[in-house]
Amino acid sequence: MRERGRAIKAVLHEVHSIAGLGLALLLTLIALTGAIMSFEDEIVDHLNAGIMQVAPRSAPALMPDELIARLRAGQDFGKVSAVTLSSDPAGAVRVRFGRDEQGGRPASLYVDPYDARVLGSPRGEEFFATVRRLHRWLLIPGDAKGWGRQITGVAALGLIVMLVSGLVLRWPRRAGSVKMWLKPNLGLSGRGLHRSLHAVIGTWVLPVYLVMTLTGLWYSFDWYKDGVVWLLSRPEVVAAKMQPKMSAKAPRVAAASEPAVPIGFDRAWATFRREEGDRFARALLTLPAGPGTAIRIRSWGKDSTLDTTRDEFRVDAVTGQLVSAERYADKTFGEKIIANVLDIHRGAVLGWPGKLAFMIAAALMPLFSVTGILLYLSRRKLRRPAQPPLGRLVPGE
């Protein structure tokens, strides 16, 4: 029985080593870019505090279409794809633009809601957008439609294998001893110190890495995402989410020969205000990317502390009819977990202490890559047969 256990551990050790060596650089890159984005919202808000607010006025704010028309009259910035509006009279309007023919996207703008005066482009936006593309898609062309998302998904699966095998390999004989699990032996040196740091600090961050990988797979594989939705959502919600995938191609074929009809935000905005009143803090209105007239509106309540705790509406831009309303408060516990996948992934559900803990854990990934490689090299050196001294060789040896 003991020999069998040793054989299993030997196999796990090889699997752990091969996975670690193959994915060390990639996992380090993904982890460090994730750490950089941990406090993105706070950093961007601080950098752009001067252009996100305006002096409130007694005059009513411009309607979205009028604001965009005045903005275009001053300069052609490109096709507007979305606007973020605030219920705060002092909140500036954020205007986002679609991609041009070359695939580039102009920087978004903060605009005065009363006269459409351009306040400036947010600093840090382009930097964090690049870091995000590197984190999710490794800057591989195609972004979410390219190979990058599958590669990062494979890396996440590899990390899960390393976490499980590493936990089995380091399971101490005195499993009930907290000291054995959590206290590194800093009195060691060389291979012993590397092993202690690799194993003990790896135990510290193992729960965080598991959360990161299990939620990160959501963005890499459709089969994983569909499985989570099926597992945690009500049947009618699952059916509603699957339906667009089956019928997505039909409207495009039917509308391919019809000229695109320009649509605006005003009717959808009026419907949303009629439904919500002043209960929202801010709302993001996004034009449909393809054929269709349904504008998506994401709104955040005034007491919302997370980016993912939001309501979502779809309003027909032509008729102003409310097509659907998906309120966060009406979701089941499982559906709220799905809605909060991003904030769970980065630890934001635990507030700023959770974001800090996840950032530190991500920043520690290079430690495991370095100590893992050093342990592998030292193990190879120990396995290498010792060469007899040249002075002791006899003829014929």
Side-chain angles (χ1 to χ4, degrees):
M1 187 69 179
R2 184 175 296 177
E3 292 297 327
R4 187 177 180 182
R6 288 178 180 174
I8 293 175
K9 282 199 170 186
V11 172
L12 287 177
H13 205 288
E14 289 300 317
V15 170
H16 187 87
S17 299
I18 293 171
L21 290 171
L23 298 173
L25 183 60
L26 181 57
L27 287 173
T28 297
L29 176 65
I30 294 173
L32 290 180
T33 50
I36 291 171
M37 292 189 296
S38 296
F39 288 92
E40 174 186 353
D41 296 338
E42 291 80 358
I43 294 171
V44 171
D45 288 349
H46 176 74
L47 291 175
N48 299 287
I51 62 173
M52 296 174 64
Q53 299 287 318
V54 298
R57 303 171 205 174
S58 57
L62 298 173
M63 290 293 284
D65 291 343
E66 175 64 18
L67 184 142
I68 292 170
R70 292 194 186 186
L71 184 64
R72 285 175 173 166
Q75 182 179 346
D76 185 11
F77 293 97
K79 181 182 178 181
V80 173
S81 64
V83 293
T84 302
L85 303 162
S86 174
S87 63
D88 182 2
V93 176
R94 187 172 183 177
V95 181
R96 293 178 171 87
F97 302 94
R99 296 189 183 278
D100 55 28
E101 296 179 354
Q102 289 73 37
R105 188 191 299 274
S108 61
L109 296 173
Y110 278 103
V111 180
D112 191 311
Y114 299 98
D115 57 14
R117 178 173 56 90
V118 175
L119 303 174
S121 295
R123 289 185 291 175
E125 179 185 57
E126 185 176 351
F127 169 77
F128 281 110
T130 302
V131 172
R132 188 176 301 106
R133 290 178 59 230
L134 182 59
H135 178 76
R136 292 182 176 179
W137 311 308
L138 308 176
L139 296 180
I140 293 176
D143 291 345
K145 297 180 181 179
W147 285 99
R149 64 193 292 258
Q150 280 80 26
I151 294 174
T152 56
V154 170
L157 291 173
L159 181 56
I160 292 175
V161 170
M162 284 189 286
L163 293 173
V164 174
S165 59
L167 181 62
V168 174
L169 289 170
R170 81 141 307 193
W171 198 274
R173 294 179 180 177
R174 291 183 293 162
S177 172
V178 176
K179 181 179 178 180
M180 291 290 293
W181 279 107
L182 301 178
K183 184 179 179 181
N185 190 345
L186 301 180
L188 299 174
S189 61
R191 177 179 171 81
L193 178 61
H194 300 156
R195 181 181 177 84
S196 180
L197 293 175
H198 192 88
V200 176
I201 298 180
T203 304
W204 294 356
V205 298
L206 186 145
V208 176
Y209 283 177
L210 274 177
V211 172
M212 286 179 174
T213 51
L214 292 175
T215 52
L217 288 171
W218 172 274
Y219 300 99
S220 293
F221 299 116
D222 290 334
W223 57 265
Y224 183 88
K225 185 175 182 179
D226 293 341
V228 173
V229 171
W230 174 83
L231 183 65
L232 299 179
S233 299
R234 291 165 291 176
E236 59 270 24
V237 174
V238 175
K241 288 185 179 296
M242 297 302 175
Q243 185 64 29
K245 294 183 180 181
M246 294 184 290
S247 61
K249 294 183 179 180
R252 294 183 182 179
V253 175
S257 60
E258 299 177 6
V261 179
I263 59 176
F265 294 99
D266 283 0
R267 288 184 183 273
W269 177 237
T271 300
F272 171 77
R273 291 300 302 268
R274 187 168 60 249
E275 290 287 328
E276 289 295 284
D278 291 326
R279 293 192 296 271
F280 73 101
R282 57 189 174 95
L284 170 62
L285 286 69
T286 305
L287 292 173
T293 58
I295 289 180
R296 184 184 67 188
I297 302 178
R298 289 176 172 175
S299 71
W300 291 264
K302 293 181 178 179
D303 58 345
S304 175
T305 57
L306 297 174
D307 185 64
T308 50
T309 55
R310 59 182 181 242
D311 299 330
E312 186 164 319
F313 306 86
R314 292 188 183 273
V315 183
D316 192 297
V318 177
T319 65
Q321 180 181 358
L322 180 65
V323 178
S324 66
E326 187 177 308
R327 299 183 183 276
Y328 182 82
D330 296 335
K331 296 179 183 291
T332 64
F333 178 73
E335 290 163 2
K336 287 181 178 179
I337 292 177
I338 292 174
N340 287 302
V341 163
L342 178 59
D343 282 327
I344 295 173
H345 180 70
R346 60 183 186 160
V349 291
L350 302 176
W352 71 262
K355 293 171 73 171
L356 180 62
F358 274 52
M359 182 189 73
I360 293 173
L364 284 172
M365 182 61 75
L367 171 69
F368 305 114
S369 297
V370 172
T371 54
I373 292 172
L374 291 175
L375 287 170
Y376 174 78
L377 294 176
S378 63
R379 188 165 63 253
R380 282 182 59 88
K381 186 177 180 180
L382 290 173
R383 288 178 179 175
R384 191 178 304 160
Q387 297 294 331
L390 292 176
R392 296 183 181 181
L393 292 176
V394 298
E397 288 187 326

